[in-house]
Amino acid sequence: MQRITLDLQANRIEAVLASHRAPARVTGGVVTPRKVRYHLAPAPGVRLRRLLALAEEVALALGVPSCRIARDHGVVAVELPRSDPAPVALLPLCARLPHVPPCTAVLGLDDEGVPLLLTLSAADVAHVLIAGSTGSGKTALARGIVASLAAHNHLGQVAFVLIDPKARGLVPFDGLPHLLSPICSEPRQIETQLARLVAEMLRRDREGITAPRLVVVIDELAEVVASVGDPAVDALTRLTQRGREAGIHVVAVTQKPSASLLGPLMKANFPVRLVGSVTSADDARVATGLPGSGAERLLGRGDFVLVHRGRCFRFQAAYITSDEVRSLVARLREGGRVSRRWLLPAGPAGHPLPDGQAHHESQRSML
């Protein structure tokens, strides 16, 4: 975005707040591929509640469809959608990271434009639930998790079991050398594979084995439960209860993670939730497990919150196309790992980081 546009918006924000007797100064901000975030310094005596209530007035004054004013981690910010949004490209983002720890997925960019990483093998992570309505980008986020893990971990470190009952979202990974078995789509295949995973977990428990890490990715968990029934629920409950100690991690995708779908035991064993846009505040509470998360106000198409230990971190999920997945699979079949140079596209258009962002050398790991 042009600097003159940013300055004009900052001046207009200050004017609107002052006209409503809640003066605040714009002290800086961050431009990310999807949003512009202005940092505020409220004048002495201005109540935070008064500022938060002026989001609609700011949106109207700026002529934008929505505006969010919030206090996140000690910073009061005004957040606006960009008029020229762009996705966060996963492969170039991976290429620019100085180091990615083992069994760590690259999720995308957080509110400050810093790469957000998730280490599945960390003691307080283990299993991940991805939720959101249609169009939120949850399957694309699952693809990004698989792709980033495959790109940064060789076969002895990470192996995958992919379950895709609709034979759509994860199909581009067909032939990935990290696959423990072919992608499962049919109910009988899924039931058999889940039973094998439980048996493998028990074997690893007996023998004290945790490597390679097994990442079980399930697209459309509700479809799996509906088609397979109680055997799927029982197997997944056991895997989420005891899988971490055996080096088995479950990443499940669903629209609405209600207790009636998952069962209370399975639901309690997903310590990390990645929640995209939902249709109501009630759905947001069910998906995040928290009141007031604001998930119903997310923009969709990769706009997510990460929920961990009762805290929310907003981020833009990194995106990889189906063609890029197939190219990555082909590259991994040739050489086992990919180089940083191969991940980068030709030309500056593939630069994944925000305009003018000074933190592109750093990264935030959720452990």
Side-chain angles (χ1 to χ4, degrees):
M1 293 182 67
Q2 294 184 356
R3 181 59 184 264
I4 188 171
T5 301
L6 299 174
D7 289 341
L8 287 172
Q9 286 188 336
N11 292 337
R12 182 64 61 85
I13 291 169
E14 291 180 348
V16 171
L17 298 179
S19 69
H20 287 82
R21 299 181 181 179
R25 185 168 55 89
V26 176
T27 59
V30 179
V31 179
T32 69
R34 290 285 301 278
K35 297 169 287 188
V36 184
R37 181 177 170 91
Y38 296 95
H39 298 161
L40 293 181
V46 174
R47 291 183 176 275
L48 178 61
R49 184 181 301 175
R50 188 171 184 85
L51 280 174
L52 301 184
L54 295 174
E56 288 300 316
E57 284 76 7
V58 172
L60 181 63
L62 294 177
V64 296
S66 64
C67 170
R68 176 175 175 260
I69 303 178
R71 181 178 65 85
D72 293 327
H73 316 305
V75 176
V76 180
V78 176
E79 195 173 87
L80 311 173
R82 285 184 61 160
S83 59
D84 56 344
V88 177
L90 175 67
L91 296 182
L93 178 58
C94 289
R96 287 181 167 85
L97 294 175
H99 173 65
V100 177
C103 202
T104 296
V106 179
L107 299 183
L109 298 177
D110 72 3
D111 265 346
E112 297 298 322
V114 178
L116 183 64
L117 278 59
L118 184 71
T119 301
L120 295 179
S121 56
D124 55 350
V125 176
H127 312 298
V128 180
L129 192 64
I130 304 175
S133 59
T134 301
S136 61
K138 55 187 182 295
T139 296
L141 175 55
R143 278 203 305 263
I145 289 173
V146 175
S148 60
L149 286 170
H152 293 112
N153 294 271
H154 57 68
L155 304 184
Q157 292 175 301
V158 170
F160 294 101
V161 171
L162 303 183
I163 298 176
D164 186 359
K166 293 189 176 180
R168 186 172 56 199
L170 303 178
V171 167
F173 289 102
D174 186 34
L176 181 71
H178 297 67
L179 290 182
L180 193 66
S181 63
I183 299 173
C184 298
S185 299
E186 298 298 325
R188 187 171 296 178
Q189 291 177 328
I190 296 171
E191 182 177 356
T192 300
Q193 186 61 265
L194 291 176
R196 287 175 177 169
L197 285 167
V198 171
E200 173 65 9
M201 178 184 71
L202 297 175
R203 183 188 72 83
R204 287 179 171 220
D205 279 345
R206 290 193 304 270
E207 300 180 10
I209 298 172
T210 60
R213 296 279 174 174
L214 297 183
V215 182
V216 184
V217 182
I218 305 171
D219 195 13
E220 301 293 349
L221 178 61
E223 185 78 17
V224 170
V225 172
S227 61
V228 179
D230 289 342
V233 175
D234 293 343
L236 287 169
T237 299
R238 297 182 71 182
L239 289 170
T240 54
Q241 282 181 307
R242 299 177 54 187
R244 181 179 66 84
E245 291 80 4
I248 299 176
H249 309 281
V250 177
V251 178
V253 178
T254 187
Q255 282 203 22
K256 191 173 181 179
S258 61
S260 60
L261 168 67
L262 304 178
L265 290 177
M266 194 199 312
K267 186 177 180 180
N269 283 291
F270 283 101
V272 175
R273 298 189 183 191
L274 309 177
V275 180
S277 59
V278 293
T279 56
S280 69
D282 285 342
D283 286 348
R285 180 182 52 79
V286 171
T288 61
L290 298 172
S293 66
E296 74 277 9
R297 296 190 296 273
L298 295 173
L299 303 176
R301 300 182 64 186
D303 192 14
F304 276 81
V305 291
L306 183 151
V307 183
H308 182 251
R309 288 188 168 181
R311 299 179 65 192
C312 289
F313 302 85
R314 195 171 181 182
F315 70 99
Q316 179 65 33
Y319 181 73
I320 182 170
T321 67
S322 295
D323 287 342
E324 287 173 330
V325 169
R326 295 185 183 95
S327 296
L328 176 65
V329 169
R331 187 75 176 190
L332 290 170
R333 288 176 66 87
E334 291 175 4
R337 295 190 73 173
V338 295
S339 66
R340 290 162 64 93
R341 179 173 296 181
W342 181 84
L343 292 168
L344 280 169
H351 199 294
L353 295 171
D355 305 344
Q357 175 54 247
H359 301 292
H360 62 279
E361 294 298 331
S362 64
Q363 60 199 46
R364 176 176 294 165
S365 295
M366 281 300 305
L367 300 178

